[in-house]
Amino acid sequence: IDFDIYYNYVGNFMSFDAPDSAVNYLVYYGYLNSQYSILKYDHGNIDPAICTFPNYIPRNINFPVIDTGYVLASYPGVVYGSNIILKSVDSGVTWTEVYNDTTIKLYDLYFTTPDLGYAVGELGMIVKTTDGGQSWQRLNTGFTDYFNSVAFPDANTGFICAGSKMISTLDGGLTWNLQSFPSYVYLSDLHFVN
């Protein structure tokens, strides 16, 4: 990302995902137009505001492949956390709701494939889909922490951080193991590089 992007699209960058080395998606709030938008940076070319979100506040974005992506969002007025997951199958041009639960707040999502994904949030909440968001199931971790971030380097191996704790699974979320860190350590985000 270079200076031209910053200069032409002045705003608050909220989330970023790169499904491959040449295509990047950015969620940002534009100060000039007061809108939440997605930019697509494709082989050095910027597709400005391929989508704006007048009815949602997008917070996190995840594209497991170039054409299929998910956004964790909330309705305007919600200050922290999200309870809506949106899906796009046309590289971010249009979005449809695939999850909406006002009883919980989610903070991150991660998809290993267009069909298999997880979202995590408050009080140990994990929801999982295996059919691209058509149905979701809650997973029981036995923990009540606020989960900040989730990452799955493959379909079965996953990690979730929660402050000075991290839990992991080797079986797609059926069982979870705890790893604690000193109290001065605060884990807020997870990333894996292939």
Side-chain angles (χ1 to χ4, degrees), residues 6 19 25 29 44 79 89 109 126 130 138 144 149 161-162 165 184:
Y6 178 78
Y25 292 93
Y29 177 78
V79 177
V89 293
L109 78 165
I126 303 174
T130 58
R138 290 186 181 196
T144 57
S149 184
C161 64
K165 299 176 186 174
Y184 58 82

Side-chain angles (χ1 to χ4, degrees), residues 70 111 115-118 127-137:
Y70 295 85
F111 280 75
D115 292 327
L116 179 60
Y118 301 82
V127 292
K128 175 182 180 179
T129 183
T130 58
D131 56 14
Q134 293 180 35
S135 63
W136 295 84
Q137 71 179 79

Side-chain angles (χ1 to χ4, degrees), residues 3-187:
F3 180 74
D4 289 335
I5 293 175
Y6 178 78
Y7 181 76
N8 292 320
Y9 305 101
V10 176
N12 183 17
F13 288 89
M14 303 184 66
S15 184
F16 167 84
D17 195 33
D20 74 12
S21 61
V23 177
N24 304 294
Y25 292 93
L26 300 103
V27 174
Y28 83 106
Y29 177 78
Y31 297 141
L32 300 177
N33 63 5
S34 298
Q35 290 187 6
Y36 292 92
S37 303
I38 291 181
L39 295 177
K40 182 179 180 184
Y41 192 74
D42 189 353
H43 295 86
N45 299 309
I46 300 172
D47 190 354
I50 59 172
C51 175
T52 58
F53 292 93
N55 300 318
Y56 301 101
I57 299 173
R59 301 195 188 268
N60 291 48
I61 190 168
N62 183 247
F63 272 79
V65 294
I66 292 173
D67 62 343
T68 302
Y70 295 85
V71 167
L72 191 57
S74 64
Y75 292 119
V78 175
V79 177
Y80 188 69
S82 302
N83 58 2
I84 299 166
I85 298 175
L86 306 169
K87 178 180 182 179
S88 175
V89 293
D90 57 9
S91 300
V93 176
T94 60
W95 296 86
T96 56
E97 277 189 26
V98 294
Y99 184 84
N100 187 338
D101 183 347
T102 59
T103 65
I104 61 166
K105 289 187 178 182
L106 300 171
Y107 302 124
D108 196 21
L109 78 165
Y110 193 90
F111 280 75
T112 59
T113 70
D115 292 327
L116 179 60
Y118 301 82
V120 299
E122 64 183 3
L123 302 174
M125 177 60 62
I126 303 174
V127 292
K128 175 182 180 179
T129 183
T130 58
D131 56 14
Q134 293 180 35
S135 63
W136 295 84
Q137 71 179 79
R138 290 186 181 196
L139 301 181
N140 183 6
T141 63
F143 301 100
T144 57
D145 300 280
Y146 282 64
F147 294 150
N148 303 321
S149 184
V150 59
F152 273 74
D154 63 49
N156 291 313
T157 308
F159 300 88
I160 296 172
C161 64
S164 62
K165 299 176 186 174
M166 182 171 62
I167 63 170
S168 61
T169 182
L170 298 174
D171 56 16
L174 295 175
T175 60
W176 295 89
N177 300 302
L178 174 65
Q179 172 70 45
S180 293
F181 297 91
S183 61
Y184 58 82
V185 173
Y186 185 83
L187 305 171

